[in-house]
Amino acid sequence: FCLMAVPGKVAAFRLPPLPTVGEIIKLFRLKAQKQLSQNFLLDLRLTDKIVRQAGELKNAHVCEVGPGPGGITRSVLSAGVEQLLLIEKDARFIPGLQMLSEAAPGKVRIAHGDILTYKMENAFPKHLKKNWEDEPPDIHIIGNLPFSVSTPLIIKWLENVSKKDGPFIYGRTQMTLTFQKEVAERLTANPGGKQRSRLSIMSQHLCTVENCFVIPGQAFVPKPKVDVAVVHFTPLVQPKIQQPFELVEKVVQSVFQFRRKYCFRGIETLFPESGRLKRTEQLMMTANVDPTLRPFQLSMSHFRNLCNTYRKMCDDDPGLFVYNYREELRQKKMMRNLQKSTSQHNQIEEEDQL
């Protein structure tokens, strides 16, 4: 990572007159790259509105993910933050961000790197750390995320929340992020809702998740085919499911594997073929889950019971957790292909002998 900063501080801060975001795009000949699913937000009223959703940022420390040409960056700086860390993967945007850094002496650090691999444990001063049970620290993560990175990134950060590492080593760091409207609906969907999914359970069992507002696609340049929603996350003091992240994820993924079928069908895939039916019935009965419910109808308490019961079964049978349904299917397919090729080979040999 390449780190750049401008020394010195100012007491009362206001950005000096600068080229508009649109002018910076023209000045540095910046063009959104389709393969990086980039969409720029140029309307500073909307960027101000996004930043307001993060809460009080005066004298706070903020990390902005994928600032691009710097629309949200200006709104964050105007909110009177103490320090702003910009993490940008696309080197084309660095000169424009450097211009903003120079306009806000001592406030901006620019990291040229990938947020999926950036070490967030070292992103903020150690004195900002708070106990998990305390109020959230004066640290915020904000970002207009490219669609291609938003889902893997939020899953990674939810795992960090579960383990209290990464950006959550400082306490219950809050996040204000953009997602495709449909993904935002999944993140906040209630039981029975058509968007209820793996994302709903994984996010809501670890965080308070709020769908703040929707930005129409035409507000972006270039205009995406979908609308965008702003979502705010605050990690919970106690997760709703008190089990390791990997175990919860495995159970939830299995349940939603066959979304339109009864939940019994997905839960079956947690167990090897031999004894599968008996163990699935045992799990569902102990967890008190109706096998004829669809996955999207299951409540958080259903998932808690399933995870707790599955954990006990794994403790009794240590080899169970490493069982992989898809790997078993792959092995069976390989065996069928091998038997088929052996059978064909034997047939050819018999014909040759004849």
Side-chain angles (χ1 to χ4, degrees), residues 185-201:
E185 287 170 351
R186 284 185 211 152
L187 285 162
T188 55
N190 293 316
K194 63 177 183 178
Q195 295 286 17
R196 185 78 162 174
S197 67
R198 172 180 76 119
L199 271 180
S200 318
I201 310 303

Side-chain angles (χ1 to χ4, degrees), residues 99-164:
M99 187 183 287
L100 278 173
S101 174
E102 288 160 4
K107 284 188 176 285
V108 180
R109 283 187 298 143
I110 304 169
H112 176 211
D114 187 342
I115 188 60
L116 286 167
T117 55
Y118 187 79
K119 299 291 183 195
M120 293 290 285
E121 293 87 347
N122 308 315
F124 306 103
K126 297 287 182 278
H127 73 264
L128 295 172
K129 280 189 181 183
K130 288 201 175 181
N131 293 325
W132 195 260
E133 297 74 25
D134 295 343
E135 286 298 301
D138 220 359
I139 293 172
H140 300 262
I141 297 172
I142 297 176
N144 173 29
L145 304 177
F147 295 155
S148 60
V149 80
S150 59
T151 302
L153 183 57
I154 197 58
I155 288 292
K156 172 184 161 67
W157 276 341
L158 289 170
E159 184 172 1
N160 289 146
V161 170
S162 175
K163 295 175 178 177
K164 300 176 185 172

Side-chain angles (χ1 to χ4, degrees), residues 56-115:
E56 178 55 62
L57 294 186
K58 191 163 176 59
N59 300 324
H61 287 247
V62 174
C63 171
E64 186 189 348
V65 183
I72 292 176
T73 312
R74 293 174 187 230
S75 296
V76 172
L77 287 170
S78 297
V81 297
E82 177 74 17
Q83 280 282 322
L84 174 57
L85 169 64
L86 304 175
I87 302 175
E88 179 54 65
K89 184 179 181 180
D90 191 336
R92 297 174 306 141
F93 295 116
I94 300 296
L97 296 173
Q98 187 67 32
M99 187 183 287
L100 278 173
S101 174
E102 288 160 4
K107 284 188 176 285
V108 180
R109 283 187 298 143
I110 304 169
H112 176 211
D114 187 342
I115 188 60

